[in-house]
Amino acid sequence: MPMRRRVRAGVTAGVLAASLFVSGCDAVRHVRDQQAERSSSPSTTQPVTDPAQRVRQSDLETKVGAGMNARTPGGAMIVASNGTRIPNGIVEASAKAAASVRALDPQASKNALLVLVPRDDAEFKEYTGQEAASQLANTVTGGGGRLPYVVMSDWTTKNPDTLTTRETLAHEAFHALTLEKLATERPLWLLEGWAEYVGQRTVPQAPHKRDDISPHVPSDEELRGANAADAYYTAFTFARYLRDTHGHDKVMAFYSEAVRTKEPLEALLNKHFGKGLTALESGYVAWYPTFR
């Protein structure tokens, strides 16, 4: 899998702002703490068809402003402030990403995937609370009943038809549509590894085995750190190992139960894969030389 030269962004501000997402994923705890509020919010159970209403569900009406530009291809809503152009490639990729995520995870949110196209880096920061830097996109989880949304970067907006942009949208759509009701704090190898896995299934690219890394299940610190690209790669290939040895359905069933329940992760790993994390990691290390 060719790793991107640019940082992915992540989940922010309610935040999962993770590292490729290289700018840091401190949001999981915040998402967990605000889960009770979000679960009881009417907005999480009543999908809307009007873009202005969907923007309000994410508490963005003031930031987006009056006279917003909106495209609604079905399953997704792509929104920009007045006068900002929305590329057709972003519209098409957003619709495909939303449909693909829901096909892979039937329990994914039925709320419209909200994708914001900022006018410039200043607007990106206004939507996310972060500098754009080299981010490709950023998923903001909100909190307090606010629904998650995805913010594109200047680079992805200017390169809407690339494989990188399309795979990035699939990755971020997976975050936005599956973490709406995250029940408890979970490690980033799960949240990011599975988002990479879904992105690759949605926008297949030629696998690229790396011989310069040591296969292991990465820590949250690695996924937030200077070598986050390596950590994203190992998190992704760990998910691929589980797919190759146990099948796609078990991989997705495990993820779905992990994000929607408070069951101990070790118990869920044993339930779905018959082994705990230490044994699975050993199997991953032994499998990695066969990865193509």
Side-chain angles (χ1 to χ4, degrees):
M1 179 190 75
M3 297 305 293
R4 286 165 287 286
R5 292 187 296 275
R6 296 174 63 85
V7 174
R8 158 138 26 245
V11 193
T12 258
V15 191
L16 261 168
S19 18
L20 225 20
F21 277 89
V22 169
S23 43
C25 188
D26 296 324
V28 178
R29 183 173 292 106
H30 185 73
V31 173
R32 176 202 65 197
D33 293 343
Q34 300 208 348
Q35 180 52 40
E37 285 185 272
R38 188 180 299 120
S39 296
S40 63
S41 168
S43 66
T44 64
T45 56
Q46 297 176 10
V48 299
T49 57
D50 175 48
Q53 288 182 288
R54 179 62 188 84
V55 166
R56 283 195 293 274
Q57 287 180 324
S58 294
D59 197 22
L60 288 166
E61 60 268 33
T62 301
K63 293 179 180 178
V64 174
M68 67 180 184
N69 185 15
R71 303 276 298 276
T72 56
M77 294 183 183
I78 301 83
V79 170
S81 57
N82 190 17
T84 301
R85 186 180 73 88
I86 299 176
N88 288 334
I90 297 295
V91 176
E92 294 167 4
S94 298
K96 180 178 179 181
S100 296
V101 168
R102 291 183 175 115
L104 290 168
D105 183 359
Q107 295 190 60
S109 173
K110 300 303 186 289
N111 290 300
L113 171 68
L114 179 61
V115 178
L116 299 184
V117 177
R119 176 184 297 108
D120 49 30
D121 286 352
E123 203 166 70
F124 180 95
K125 183 176 181 180
E126 185 175 6
Y127 292 150
T128 66
Q130 296 187 355
E131 298 291 343
S134 58
Q135 297 190 58
L136 290 171
N138 194 294
T139 297
V140 181
T141 60
R146 296 185 296 274
L147 297 186
Y149 58 93
V150 176
V151 184
M152 306 310 294
S153 71
D154 181 67
W155 189 91
T156 47
T157 300
K158 290 178 178 176
N159 297 274
D161 300 314
T162 63
L163 284 174
T164 295
T165 294
R166 285 157 45 204
E167 196 271 333
T168 294
L169 263 167
H171 176 117
E172 301 302 336
F174 186 72
H175 284 318
L177 296 176
T178 66
L179 296 181
E180 185 178 296
K181 293 191 175 183
L182 181 65
T184 191
E185 186 174 3
R186 293 303 191 192
L188 294 184
W189 61 258
L190 172 68
L191 304 181
E192 294 304 326
W194 266 245
E196 284 290 294
Y197 170 73
V198 167
Q200 286 290 312
R201 283 186 66 92
T202 302
V203 186
Q205 301 179 45
H208 175 66
K209 181 184 175 183
R210 292 182 53 184
D211 296 319
D212 61 335
I213 60 103
S214 174
H216 66 286
V217 176
S219 67
D220 284 7
E221 289 70 27
E222 289 175 292
L223 281 154
R224 296 189 189 105
N227 296 317
D230 294 348
Y232 271 70
Y233 176 84
T234 55
F236 160 72
T237 51
F238 179 60
R240 268 291 306 270
Y241 154 69
L242 293 175
R243 193 283 306 270
D244 285 3
T245 54
H246 294 81
H248 169 76
D249 289 346
K250 284 192 176 182
V251 165
M252 294 307 299
F254 162 70
Y255 174 87
S256 183
E257 192 167 359
V259 299
R260 293 178 176 85
T261 74
K262 296 183 179 181
E263 286 295 310
L265 203 59
E266 190 75 1
L268 292 176
L269 288 167
N270 275 286
K271 174 182 176 179
H272 292 278
F273 305 117
K275 299 176 183 177
L277 184 58
T278 299
L280 289 170
E281 184 173 29
S282 295
Y284 165 50
V285 171
W287 165 90
Y288 186 75
T290 71
F291 173 58
R292 296 291 184 270

